[in-house]
Amino acid sequence: MDVHVKVPRWLGEIVKFHMERLRLLNLEASPPAVAMGEVTRIWAEIIAERGRFEQDVDAPRLHAAFFALAAHATRWPAPAQLWEHLPKRPEPPRLKAPVTPPSEEERAKIRALLQQARQHLVR
């Protein structure tokens, strides 16, 4: 049974970068240096397992979460603490209303369609 989760390369690189930074802070309960490879792998797998991430949208969010986590940490953090600092995904762009109002001809067609719909509803 394979228990490893497939971690996208970009996600693994983000986790490795921030694990190294956290390790340099020498926080209480930090894992030993010889274990950091496995610790980094486990963190990356936990993050990857949590959801579907897209590099363009989620890389900046993950960096922000790790920076906030490091700024608030007094002890070595658990992966669950990362989610407390993860910003929400940005809202997708909304469709804009048409800039030009309908012409008189288009308005007449709309009125005719509405009239037809009313007649079918009344029957």
Side-chain angles (χ1 to χ4, degrees):
M1 180 170 125
D2 187 17
V3 294
H4 297 290
V5 175
K6 183 164 175 37
V7 177
R9 182 182 180 109
W10 67 267
L11 178 59
E13 290 171 358
I14 289 173
V15 174
K16 181 180 179 197
F17 172 79
H18 289 285
M19 288 289 105
E20 291 169 352
R21 291 174 57 88
L22 281 170
R23 182 72 178 104
L24 290 173
L25 293 175
N26 199 26
L27 298 168
E28 182 181 339
S30 291
V34 296
M36 284 308 296
E38 279 299 298
V39 170
T40 299
R41 183 186 59 78
I42 291 168
W43 270 71
E45 288 178 354
I46 289 170
I47 293 168
E49 181 68 24
R50 173 78 184 245
R52 189 173 145 248
F53 290 99
E54 299 171 24
Q55 184 173 3
D56 293 345
V57 175
D58 296 310
R61 295 174 59 231
L62 288 165
H63 278 296
F66 272 112
F67 280 120
L69 180 65
H72 293 93
T74 56
R75 299 178 44 89
W76 185 262
Q81 291 173 276
L82 183 69
W83 308 122
E84 297 169 10
H85 299 286
L86 187 65
K88 291 185 179 186
R89 287 184 126 212
E91 289 285 327
R94 296 181 186 259
L95 295 176
K96 295 181 180 176
V99 178
T100 57
S103 67
E104 275 305 315
E105 183 180 319
E106 292 170 326
R107 287 181 188 187
K109 286 180 184 178
I110 293 169
R111 281 193 288 273
L113 289 172
L114 286 172
Q115 185 62 31
Q116 287 175 359
R118 283 189 199 109
Q119 289 173 355
H120 286 294
L121 291 173
V122 173
R123 290 184 187 175

